[in-house]
Amino acid sequence: MSAPAFSVVLPFRNAFPFITDAVASVCSQLNDGELVLVDDGSTDGSETYARRLADLDVRVRYVQNERRGIVQALNAGVALSRAPLIGRMDADDICLPGRFRRQADFLRHHPDIAAVSCRVEPFAKQEIREGSRRYLAWVNESSRPDEIARDLFVESPLPHPSMMIRRACLHEVDGYRDFDGPEDYDLWLRMADRGMHFAKLPDVLLRWRIHEASLSRKDLRYRKEAFDALRFDYLASRVTAGEVLGGRELWIWGAGKVGAKLRSRLEQRGLMARGFFDVDPAKVASLRAGKPVRHYRDIPGCGSNTGIICCVGNWEVRNKMRAYLLENGLREGERFVVM
């Protein structure tokens, strides 16, 4: 059998009742692709379904992973796949028609892009929480490489099961890393650190299932503290490399808990913040960790050597910070970064 144009890697563990719909949505698009099913120790019958499907359909391959975890399952699937393009899919989501063909065509026509996502549509049996709705709306906002690069400082703007990645780029960063944190966000940041770029197709091509049993909700590797550690270190690496806020005097806009954690993380990397800006009059003109707190309206305008890191936990406040700084002539990336 000749090598496929793309491979879809789908790891799973005890994925009934969702896996049949997920696999059917992928198989309907495998004209010149293959599906690699990686069973990470299932015991609910989903492994029997996957094995039988592989026996019946030459486009489907099955491998057992002996319950070694999601990262090992992903790396095993990539190693078994044969195509230069690796599509991702989870066992509880549904692909919409044409997704993989469109992503593969996009990467062939854009050799400067390492991986491409698509917009997603959430669905669930129960009502979707406000926090999830807000995050998914934010995910769907960015599509251009510069927008995605900007949003990598905040969280992951690239839903993992929506991705198609060049195999060569995965190999360049040694694949997924097994550690106490989110493997997908970590991968995007390591790829970005190597100068790789991402894009997102403007159409909804994946239905993203929201449910309480999903790995992102129950596994401690996806806790907020793990994301914060990654993004703080990523920012520090980009500042040190001079790629953002290069050579500027660093100030943090946000003197609360998140800003304090960022200051501490920066100092661990040898980057000293001069002080804080804040909107809260109770904090202004005080000291935080020995650093002065000034009113945000005292942020210097154009021509200043001040570099601002906006670091708060509230999504709406974050957007207001960006709008205020842009309205005052400061360029994002050069004079400020929003986290």
Side-chain angles (χ1 to χ4, degrees), residues 98-318:
R99 174 198 156 184
F100 296 113
R101 168 53 45 210
R102 291 186 59 184
Q103 288 184 313
D105 287 344
F106 180 91
L107 289 175
R108 276 193 283 271
H109 288 94
H110 297 83
D112 58 320
I113 299 297
V116 61
S117 174
C118 62
R119 288 195 165 100
V120 299
E121 174 186 83
F123 73 108
K125 284 188 176 181
Q126 72 282 4
E127 183 178 356
I128 300 175
R129 297 176 184 174
E130 178 59 30
S132 294
R133 288 187 181 278
R134 184 171 56 243
Y135 170 70
L136 289 165
W138 173 78
V139 160
N140 282 336
E141 285 178 4
S142 59
S143 60
R144 300 195 314 266
D146 61 316
E147 294 172 332
I148 294 171
R150 174 199 70 191
D151 286 347
L152 281 172
F153 289 112
V154 178
E155 203 180 305
S156 174
L158 302 166
H160 198 186
S162 75
M163 298 298 291
M164 181 173 280
I165 313 166
R166 296 186 191 276
R167 173 189 291 279
C169 294
L170 271 174
H171 284 334
E172 187 175 334
V173 297
D174 298 322
Y176 292 91
R177 185 168 69 101
D178 202 352
F179 74 112
D180 185 24
E183 77 288 338
D184 51 348
Y185 187 41
D186 172 70
L187 178 63
W188 315 147
L189 296 184
R190 288 187 289 118
M191 292 173 69
D193 252 340
R194 294 287 187 95
M196 300 180 194
H197 302 291
F198 306 93
K200 188 180 297 175
L201 299 181
D203 298 321
V204 173
L205 296 174
L206 179 76
R207 299 193 71 212
W208 203 3
R209 190 187 303 269
I210 308 296
H211 61 100
E212 293 301 322
S214 65
L215 201 63
S216 60
R217 287 182 179 269
K218 66 181 183 179
D219 195 314
L220 289 176
R221 289 178 304 148
Y222 304 101
R223 66 195 184 279
K224 183 180 183 303
E225 292 78 10
F227 277 90
D228 282 347
L230 284 176
R231 67 191 185 114
F232 290 170
D233 283 346
Y234 175 65
L235 171 70
S237 72
R238 303 306 287 264
V239 171
T240 300
E243 296 176 6
V244 295
L245 310 179
R248 298 186 182 277
E249 182 182 80
L250 299 180
W251 285 73
I252 298 172
W253 185 354
K257 293 181 180 179
V258 183
K261 290 179 182 179
L262 171 62
R263 178 202 60 80
S264 177
R265 200 79 179 190
L266 290 175
E267 289 189 357
Q268 293 173 20
R269 297 289 296 267
L271 297 170
M272 307 301 293
R274 175 68 179 80
F276 298 91
F277 292 104
D278 208 276
V279 65
D280 186 352
K283 297 174 183 175
V284 172
S286 66
L287 293 176
R288 287 287 190 276
K291 306 291 185 181
V293 182
R294 296 180 180 174
H295 197 278
Y296 78 95
R297 293 196 181 278
D298 293 332
I299 293 175
C302 298
S304 168
N305 193 45
T306 303
I308 312 298
I309 305 171
C310 303
C311 191
V312 294
N314 185 287
W315 294 80
E316 291 183 6
V317 172
R318 188 183 292 124

